[in-house]
Amino acid sequence: MSTGLDDWAPPVSQPAPATAEVYEMVRLRLRNLRGLRKFEKEADRSRQALSMTPGELRKPERQHFPFDTSKHPLRLADMSDEQVRQAAEAAQAWLFTMLDYHGRTMNRDQEMRLFRLAVEKEGRRDVLTDQEQLYMALSDPGLTSPEDRLKAGFMIVLHGNLAEKLQDVSEVASRRIQCLIHESYMDAGMMDAFDHIADRMEFIKVDHFACAIPLSLLTTIAGNTSVIDDNAGCCPICQNSYTDLSEFTVEELLADYPVRIKYCGHVVGKACLEQWMMTPKIDEAKYPHRTCPLCRVKIEGVETPAPPALLSLRNHLLADGRALKSLRKLMYEFGVHVEESIEAISACMSEEIACLELLAEVERRGGDDKEQKMVLKGRLDQLNQEKWVWGFKGDGVWKQLRDGWMNSTYS
């Protein structure tokens, strides 16, 4: 028998119509299974129901498996009390994992097909699969309570040693449960993420031509032609330190985190650069476009080819299913277009770099300020929700695109 999790998925093929008696029994077992699932969710009661001594465990095994012990020997009979306890703990963990997994993934039609196939084999125990035996026990109409049915299913797992035979099934199911929980959490936060993205769009002023950089680059300027900083560690405009956690809050440091201007390579605080971009022009007719605050290189009204990282990002947005849905939602509900979405993602990338760098700086200084760490981790959680909206399910592709954007230049 295969031990893959797919073998424990309910059947998907549509069998021929069954008799009325079979359907009646299937419906009865479905009702019993519903009752058991409710009972199983009461963690204290359900686990208490399975808390039995080795002697108490051996007795129901004899009751549930009294037939032909020469062909089907009683597993617990020759085990020591300690071995029985260990086997029971493993069986209990395995059973609750599978119930949780199937409860999250199995719909009513699938449950009906599972019971339909099992009911039609009833009376021929040797031809039932492990899964069918388990669910027939969990829904047994001959037992009067969900507690008794849970015990019966537990004995199937314990007697059949399914926790060991199908350990990989349980492990895969556990991982998938965590993925389902994560997806549920991320989906619940998607509306908040859309609001954050729409709000972010209103304040984007420099993220399309300036990106945050690692703090380490500020102290390793020599030989790094992509970074020009005449006052490493401090903003050359306001002279404030980029990392003075004693003088500034993490929110203030995030707002004025060092960003590198892609046209010339100069590094300035983001808040100062944004203020520079909003400062009224003295003679707009003569100087229609703003320049870098530290040199005369134009940073406004310049047409340059998009760097490869942004082209790859655009391709991702137009190819990923979740990203396409997000683009449509932002377009129709918030009036945000594709190019604006790319700017929003660029801002998200820049803020993530800043958060990670400042979090590392807090840790480097001892990490005693829990409030600072909480703020930064909260911002990172928010950014992760935005990344989920854009179709990034892991950090692999995202990090590649983020680092590509951070290291790109406009020439």
Side-chain angles (χ1 to χ4, degrees):
M1 175 180 173
S2 171
T3 59
L5 184 59
D6 290 341
D7 292 335
W8 275 74
V12 295
S13 59
Q14 185 65 45
T19 64
E21 291 80 5
V22 168
Y23 276 127
E24 182 63 30
M25 182 56 67
V26 167
R27 284 192 288 270
L28 174 58
R29 287 185 175 273
L30 281 172
R31 286 196 296 272
N32 289 344
L33 184 63
R34 294 287 181 273
L36 180 129
R37 289 200 190 284
K38 291 180 181 178
F39 177 74
E40 182 262 333
K41 291 184 184 300
E42 300 177 26
D44 292 339
R45 288 185 62 201
S46 59
R47 281 155 179 76
Q48 183 64 33
L50 303 184
S51 297
M52 294 177 274
T53 66
E56 291 171 334
L57 287 168
R58 292 187 180 98
K59 182 178 179 180
E61 185 184 33
R62 288 192 295 271
Q63 292 173 342
H64 284 283
F65 303 97
F67 59 93
D68 194 3
T69 54
S70 61
K71 185 177 180 181
H72 301 278
L74 297 177
R75 181 185 175 213
L76 306 184
D78 298 326
M79 295 173 65
S80 68
D81 286 356
E82 181 59 29
Q83 289 174 324
V84 171
R85 276 191 287 268
Q86 292 176 358
E89 288 176 4
Q92 185 178 140
W94 190 94
L95 175 61
F96 284 125
T97 295
M98 293 311 300
L99 285 175
D100 187 10
Y101 175 70
H102 279 165
R104 294 175 185 275
T105 59
M106 195 185 293
N107 60 39
R108 181 177 174 82
D109 287 342
Q110 292 170 326
E111 289 174 343
M112 287 189 69
R113 284 195 287 272
L114 170 64
F115 281 122
R116 155 78 189 280
L117 294 174
V119 167
E120 290 180 337
K121 298 177 187 177
E122 200 165 13
R124 296 176 292 155
R125 191 166 191 162
D126 285 351
V127 300
L128 289 172
T129 66
D130 288 335
Q131 184 185 34
E132 289 168 344
Q133 286 190 53
L134 174 60
Y135 274 88
M136 291 293 273
L138 293 171
S139 61
D140 190 347
L143 300 174
T144 58
S145 69
E147 181 177 344
D148 290 338
R149 296 185 191 107
L150 183 64
K151 287 181 179 178
F154 172 65
M155 293 311 302
I156 292 287
V157 176
L158 183 59
H159 175 77
N161 196 18
L162 300 188
E164 183 176 329
K165 285 171 54 181
L166 303 176
Q167 180 181 0
D168 57 338
V169 172
S170 175
E171 290 172 351
V172 173
S174 295
R175 290 196 294 271
R176 291 193 183 176
I177 288 170
Q178 292 306 311
C179 289
L180 290 168
I181 292 173
H182 177 69
E183 288 181 9
S184 175
Y185 162 75
M186 295 305 292
D187 286 339
M190 281 187 70
M191 286 311 302
D192 288 339
F194 281 119
D195 290 336
H196 288 310
I197 291 169
D199 291 341
R200 187 190 293 279
M201 291 304 308
E202 296 183 18
F203 299 101
I204 289 180
K205 300 178 181 67
V206 302
D207 292 285
H208 55 293
F209 69 86
C211 182
I213 60 172
L215 293 171
S216 59
L217 289 184
L218 300 178
T219 55
T220 56
I221 303 300
N224 191 333
T225 57
S226 68
V227 178
I228 304 174
D229 186 1
D230 299 324
N231 193 20
C234 296
C235 173
I237 298 176
C238 66
Q239 298 298 308
N240 288 332
S241 168
Y242 294 129
T243 58
D244 191 347
L245 292 162
S246 61
E247 183 71 22
F248 303 102
T249 66
V250 288
E251 290 92 342
E252 291 171 328
L253 292 178
L254 280 175
D256 204 28
Y257 188 84
V259 294
R260 180 174 62 87
I261 299 172
K262 295 183 176 295
Y263 293 107
C264 59
H266 278 114
V267 175
V268 297
K270 184 177 181 181
C272 290
L273 183 58
E274 289 175 334
Q275 184 63 41
W276 172 260
M277 297 301 292
M278 293 188 296
T279 302
K281 298 171 184 175
I282 298 175
D283 188 347
E284 189 166 0
K286 187 175 181 180
Y287 303 105
H289 303 301
R290 288 183 175 84
T291 61
C292 168
L294 303 181
C295 67
R296 301 300 297 273
V297 171
K298 285 201 301 184
I299 59 175
E300 190 179 53
V302 184
E303 292 187 8
T304 56
L310 290 192
L311 293 177
S312 298
L313 177 57
R314 183 186 179 91
N315 291 337
H316 165 82
L317 293 179
L318 299 178
D320 182 84
R322 184 183 292 274
L324 277 173
K325 289 181 181 179
S326 298
L327 284 174
R328 294 190 188 101
K329 183 177 181 67
L330 286 166
M331 183 178 295
Y332 294 121
E333 296 186 22
F334 297 91
V336 176
H337 296 282
V338 176
E339 298 307 320
E340 293 174 312
S341 295
I342 292 176
E343 290 183 8
I345 298 174
S346 301
C348 180
M349 291 175 169
S350 192
E351 185 173 347
E352 183 181 58
I353 293 170
C355 285
L356 291 172
E357 289 291 315
L358 287 177
L359 186 59
E361 182 69 15
V362 172
E363 295 286 358
R364 189 183 69 80
R365 299 189 181 196
D368 295 330
D369 196 322
K370 295 181 179 179
E371 185 176 347
Q372 291 175 333
K373 292 168 68 174
M374 188 180 301
V375 170
L376 290 168
K377 289 180 178 180
R379 294 288 281 270
L380 286 170
D381 286 342
Q382 178 182 315
L383 294 173
N384 283 334
Q385 289 181 347
E386 292 187 33
K387 287 155 60 176
W388 181 260
V389 165
W390 297 121
F392 294 100
K393 303 173 182 64
D395 284 335
V397 175
W398 168 263
K399 189 175 185 300
Q400 181 181 359
L401 293 175
R402 186 196 69 194
D403 292 350
W405 168 242
M406 178 184 70
N407 295 320
S408 64
T409 59
Y410 288 154
S411 55

